[in-house]
């Protein structure tokens, strides 16, 4: 039995296989409509979500399975003091696979060590979000054809943005990927990630100035400033509008640029960009469902 807590647990050939399955689901959805008949997915969300929870649920329904779960900690027995370990043991009695989001980093790992069914990390604190990365990878693959030789700009809250951390972990395994980190000084990508990239001889460039690097980018991965991770509301208010992408700021960008964002967006991408053919963030939303379908099939070992 296998869980997915960190994107690094998947080999490159497994990621390739998931991408191929997702593309096949897109082409031939009817082939998959009963693959999980009789199976149940539990979505245990201790933190708010729109895309991740609903795309997991849509994924399981489109595979012919069923869904149970909760969407906030207050409606589970964790509000009465139940541990993550006991929750995982309990839900293993009712479901064949679990998707868990939790504000505490490492909680899905603890769940996976106690569950008797596969556990998928659906986002843990400011740490990791491997299934968002699968959605991002499918989007990049479909937009760019592959991952090698790309210059990828990550912009916004690179300190607390778990989707950023997971996507860096995935992209560093491809050839000649160049990383450009654009953030306020207070929200720089964590030092352990920067140092590890440098040790492995990646080309890493950090700046506070998005427009200065715009023309270099193949992918621009925008992120929101993560209010819920700040200890100080004043600090959040000071930093929240650090970057707002507008059509004017895209004037120097490549025509082939892909503008990505894991969403939710607050105001870091102007809605005027939604109709620009370079905007890919709603494609990411849909791709997330297909990659979660592929992942459920893999972890449940459905042929
Ligand atoms: N991208 C993402 O994780 O969105 P939700 O918080 O809505 O699930």
């Amino acid at each position: 039995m296998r869980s997915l807590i960190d994107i690094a647990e998947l080999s490159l050939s497994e990621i390739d296989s998931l991408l191929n399955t997702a593309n096949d689901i897109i082409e031939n959805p009817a082939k998959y409509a009963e693959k999980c008949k009789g199976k149940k997915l539990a979505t245990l969300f201790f933190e708010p979500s729109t895309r991740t929870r609903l795309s997991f649920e849509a994924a399981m329904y489109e595979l012919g399975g069923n869904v149970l779960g909760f969407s906030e900690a207050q409606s589970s027995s964790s509000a009465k003091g139940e541990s993550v370990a006991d929750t995982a043991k309990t839900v293993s009695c009712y479901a064949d696979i679990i998707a868990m989001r939790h504000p505490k980093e490492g909680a899905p790992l603890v769940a996976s060590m106690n569950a008797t069914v596969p556990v998928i990390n659906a986002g843990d604190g400011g740490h990791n979000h491997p299934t968002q990365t699968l959605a991002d990878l499918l989007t990049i693959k479909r937009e760019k054809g592959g991952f090698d030789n790309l210059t990828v700009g990550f912009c916004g809250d690179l300190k607390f943005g778990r989707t950023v951390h997971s996507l860096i972990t995935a992209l560093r395994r491809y050839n000649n990927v160049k990383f450009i980190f654009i953030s306020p000084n207070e929200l720089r990508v964590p030092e352990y990630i920067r140092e590890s990239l440098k040790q492995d001889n990646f080309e890493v460039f950090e700046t506070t100035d998005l427009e200065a690097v715009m023309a270099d980018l193949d992918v621009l991965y925008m992120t929101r400033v993560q209010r819920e991770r700040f200890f100080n509301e004043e600090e959040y208010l000071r930093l929240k509008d650090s970057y707002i992408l507008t059509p004017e700021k895209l004037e120097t960008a490549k025509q082939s640029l892909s503008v990505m964002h894991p969403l939710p967006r607050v105001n870091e991408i102007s809605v005027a960009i939604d109709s620009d053919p370079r905007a890919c963030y709603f494609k990411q939303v849909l791709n997330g469902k297909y990659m979660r379908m592929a992942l459920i099939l893999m972890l449940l070992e459905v042929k």
Side-chain angles (χ1 to χ4, degrees), residues 18 43 48 55 84 139 160 163 169 193 214 220 230 266 284 301:
L18 288 169
T43 51
S55 66
V84 166
T139 307
F160 296 119
T163 65
T169 302
I193 295 178
M214 185 66 85
L220 172 57
F230 276 73
V266 181
Q284 283 168 268
E301 299 179 12

Side-chain angles (χ1 to χ4, degrees), residues 48-53 101 129 132 262-264:
S49 167
T50 297
R51 277 146 293 275
T52 310
R53 186 172 66 84
R101 170 170 289 186
H129 194 347
Q132 178 63 46
L263 304 182

Side-chain angles (χ1 to χ4, degrees), residues 1-5 9 84-89 92 98 100 106-120:
M1 187 197 74
R2 188 168 174 197
S3 291
L4 179 68
I5 305 302
E9 294 160 17
V84 166
D86 283 358
T87 302
K89 286 177 190 164
S92 297
I98 294 170
M100 175 183 282
L109 174 63
V110 171
S112 72
M113 291 160 68
N114 288 277
T116 54
V117 299
V119 174
I120 302 170

Side-chain angles (χ1 to χ4, degrees), residues 82-283:
E82 186 163 57
S83 67
V84 166
D86 283 358
T87 302
K89 286 177 190 164
T90 301
V91 177
S92 297
C93 300
Y94 309 138
D96 301 285
I97 186 164
I98 294 170
M100 175 183 282
R101 170 170 289 186
H102 204 287
K104 286 201 179 135
E105 301 178 357
L109 174 63
V110 171
S112 72
M113 291 160 68
N114 288 277
T116 54
V117 299
V119 174
I120 302 170
N121 179 3
D124 61 329
H127 192 214
N128 278 318
H129 194 347
T131 63
Q132 178 63 46
T133 299
L134 293 176
D136 299 341
L137 291 176
L138 181 60
T139 307
I140 295 172
K141 175 91 179 182
R142 287 175 73 85
E143 296 299 311
K144 300 278 172 237
F147 307 102
D148 293 343
N149 305 312
L150 292 176
T151 298
V152 183
F154 291 88
C155 178
D157 183 349
L158 310 188
K159 179 180 180 184
F160 296 119
R162 58 194 173 196
T163 65
V164 169
H165 307 158
S166 287
L167 185 55
I168 294 168
T169 302
L171 288 177
R172 65 181 295 166
R173 292 195 286 172
Y174 295 95
N175 295 317
N176 195 33
V177 176
K178 188 173 166 193
F179 295 94
I180 299 185
F181 297 133
I182 308 130
S183 72
N185 284 324
E186 295 85 343
L187 299 176
R188 289 172 73 193
V189 79
E191 189 177 355
Y192 76 92
I193 295 178
R194 267 183 284 134
E195 287 312 310
S196 154
L197 286 170
K198 283 179 191 165
Q199 270 170 20
D200 287 352
N201 296 319
F202 278 92
E203 226 180 299
V204 176
F205 182 67
E206 281 192 285
T207 178
T208 55
D209 188 348
L210 173 59
E211 283 156 285
V213 295
M214 185 66 85
D216 298 329
L217 304 178
D218 299 306
V219 174
L220 172 57
Y221 196 90
M222 295 294 295
T223 60
R224 103 190 134 88
V225 176
Q226 306 256 315
R227 181 179 207 156
E228 65 275 31
R229 314 266 176 242
F230 276 73
F231 292 112
N232 178 335
E233 180 72 1
E234 273 176 29
E235 182 85 334
Y236 166 74
L237 293 173
R238 188 170 65 77
L239 294 172
K240 73 182 177 68
D241 293 329
S242 297
Y243 301 98
I244 299 177
L245 190 64
T246 58
E248 294 70 39
K249 289 184 184 157
L250 276 183
E251 270 169 16
T252 58
K254 293 179 185 173
Q255 281 311 308
S256 60
L257 175 72
S258 296
V259 179
M260 298 177 65
H261 191 310
L263 304 182
R265 138 178 80 183
V266 181
N267 63 348
E268 54 282 344
I269 301 181
S270 153
V271 291
I273 290 179
D274 294 3
S275 55
D276 188 307
R278 293 171 288 190
C280 293
Y281 26 96
F282 289 106
K283 292 179 185 172

